[in-house]
Amino acid sequence: MPRVADVAAPPVPIPRTNDGVLQMNPLDTLTECLDTAECPATARRIYRLLFRIGLTVLRQRGLHEQHATQVSFHLPLDLIAAHLEVNRSTVWRNLRPLEKAGVLHQRDHYGTLRGQTAVTGKVWALSLRPHEVLAGTRERVRVRHDDLVGVRWRDLDADARAGRTAWAELERVRLGKAEEAELLSQGQLFQLQQSQEAEKAVVSEKTLLAWALAPFLQGSPGVTLTDAIAFFGGLDTVYAVPALTGLPKAERGAAVSECARQLAAAFGDTGNQRFWCWLLWQMLRLRDQGQDVSEDISAVLARVLQDLKTYPAKKAAAVVVSELVGAGLYDRLKLAGHHRVGGPPPAA
């Protein structure tokens, strides 16, 4: 599983909420370093993206920012470049000042494909305390030997059989762009906006997150999303919600049931589990209609959960509904319909 370094309490105070969640903006401490990049704006986009992915990996594993100084995850450079819509050499050049400063490090990871050694992608080590690294009070981050050989980040043969390769993803994007260009050349802008070709023409951040989380959620024998969610609590359960959209329909029933139970417990609303099931199923119905609002819902839930810790409410679901209405999501969820988008959970 992704490796996280656990160390003693940091010597430099870090702004936090009461539950220890990081409140710092890492880019604030990297201004001088990033300004030396070939394109500071691109360097900032790259680091912000990697930092978000690193924090998500940490949280999805049920680990706490308070006890971590760095996080490691697996991600091909080509997918990052495709997401940012730049070439890989541009990513390389803009990463150099970050590596030189010691807040980021990367190494090629090797696996076996059809009996031959092949590069599976890169293992990234990212500092969660960049201000301390720059101040010289924390060691530079490094991809450790265990990160390279102690974790089975990818099974290339299995990935190739299932079409889960970076090449396949980039080919999908290429075909999506070709289809998009064809529709635009025919003046069919409306058809393009109504189709899913616009989504196919990019590598989304959700795709990058799914790739980085795959070794934890799917890489270990017997470990499923449902099992993983069972270990989450509070914000970690909220951050797991978008992962439901990537499940096959046959697995949705059990996962939705478990995730709803965890949400109800996290919000202190165990007597109203039907609402949490409704919320998740409507989210999946919208997803199957080409409207992925999972990240938006997760953000609303995270905000409400934090607010309820300061201002408790008897009816947490009512507070969530109010926030969903304010975000323009509640009406969309109600209009998603009631058709089946997954099987029932297994009998107890």
Side-chain angles (χ1 to χ4, degrees):
M1 294 194 297
R3 179 186 179 90
V4 177
D6 293 337
V7 298
V12 180
I14 301 173
R16 299 177 184 278
T17 59
N18 292 334
D19 62 351
V21 177
L22 291 174
Q23 291 296 296
M24 59 176 285
N25 178 356
L27 295 186
D28 289 343
T29 67
L30 296 172
T31 298
E32 183 177 352
C33 168
L34 292 170
D35 283 345
T36 64
E38 177 191 70
C39 179
T42 299
R44 282 172 167 76
R45 288 181 64 202
I46 294 171
Y47 191 78
R48 186 181 289 112
L49 172 68
L50 294 177
F51 197 87
R52 283 198 302 268
I53 291 173
L55 277 184
T56 302
V57 168
L58 188 76
R59 292 162 174 168
Q60 292 277 37
R61 290 188 55 213
L63 300 174
H64 208 290
E65 295 103 307
Q66 188 175 10
H67 305 297
T69 60
Q70 76 174 62
V71 61
S72 300
F73 54 90
H74 180 277
L75 198 60
L77 182 72
D78 299 275
L79 293 184
I80 296 174
H83 171 71
L84 298 172
E85 298 187 272
V86 299
N87 59 53
R88 56 181 294 138
S89 61
T90 297
V91 176
W92 271 123
R93 292 194 297 270
N94 285 282
L95 284 174
R96 285 174 183 167
L98 296 168
E99 292 196 85
K100 184 177 180 181
V103 298
L104 179 147
H105 188 228
Q106 52 76 30
R107 292 282 300 277
D108 283 336
H109 179 262
Y110 295 91
T112 303
L113 177 62
R114 303 183 185 93
Q116 301 293 320
T117 300
V119 176
T120 70
K122 289 189 175 295
V123 176
W124 304 81
L126 195 73
S127 173
L128 299 176
R129 305 285 190 274
H131 62 303
E132 294 180 8
V133 175
L134 294 173
T137 59
R138 182 75 62 187
E139 292 184 359
R140 299 162 60 92
V141 296
R142 302 288 297 179
V143 175
R144 298 173 174 84
H145 180 70
D146 287 347
D147 292 327
L148 294 173
V149 301
V151 180
R152 191 182 188 187
W153 296 104
R154 307 297 299 190
D155 181 339
L156 288 182
D157 288 316
D159 286 345
R161 288 192 298 269
R164 293 190 305 262
T165 64
W167 182 89
E169 181 65 26
L170 295 174
E171 181 67 8
R172 181 190 65 80
V173 170
R174 187 189 68 78
L175 293 174
K177 287 185 178 296
E179 181 68 20
E180 180 184 277
E182 178 66 21
L183 289 173
L184 289 175
S185 68
Q186 297 174 5
Q188 298 178 0
L189 180 60
F190 177 76
Q191 287 86 341
L192 176 61
Q193 292 172 339
Q194 296 300 312
S195 74
Q196 296 183 357
E197 298 308 323
E199 293 184 9
K200 294 179 181 179
V202 297
V203 173
S204 67
E205 185 169 330
K206 179 182 174 183
T207 298
L208 299 182
L209 286 172
W211 189 286
L213 290 169
F216 175 56
L217 296 180
Q218 302 168 356
S220 301
V223 176
T224 65
L225 177 65
T226 305
D227 297 327
I229 288 176
F231 293 101
F232 296 159
L235 281 176
D236 299 309
T237 303
V238 170
Y239 292 129
V241 167
L244 294 173
T245 62
L247 290 177
K249 289 185 177 181
E251 299 178 17
R252 286 178 174 178
V256 166
S257 179
E258 180 61 28
C259 190
R261 185 181 69 80
Q262 292 288 329
L263 286 173
F267 282 84
D269 193 31
T270 54
N272 193 22
Q273 189 168 339
R274 288 184 62 184
F275 165 76
W276 303 103
C277 285
W278 174 87
L279 175 64
L280 297 175
W281 280 121
Q282 295 304 98
M283 176 190 76
L284 291 174
R285 289 184 174 100
L286 282 178
R287 174 64 182 86
D288 287 0
Q289 295 169 21
Q291 304 177 58
D292 190 350
V293 296
S294 59
E295 294 289 348
D296 299 315
I297 290 175
S298 180
V300 168
L301 293 177
R303 184 168 65 249
V304 172
L305 188 60
Q306 292 291 74
D307 289 345
L308 290 176
K309 292 178 180 179
T310 305
Y311 307 102
K314 291 184 179 180
K315 296 183 178 180
V319 180
V320 171
V321 168
S322 177
E323 290 296 317
L324 290 172
V325 170
L329 293 169
Y330 189 65
D331 286 341
R332 294 174 66 182
L333 290 168
K334 288 199 301 182
L335 293 173
H338 300 284
H339 56 283
R340 176 167 291 185
V341 290

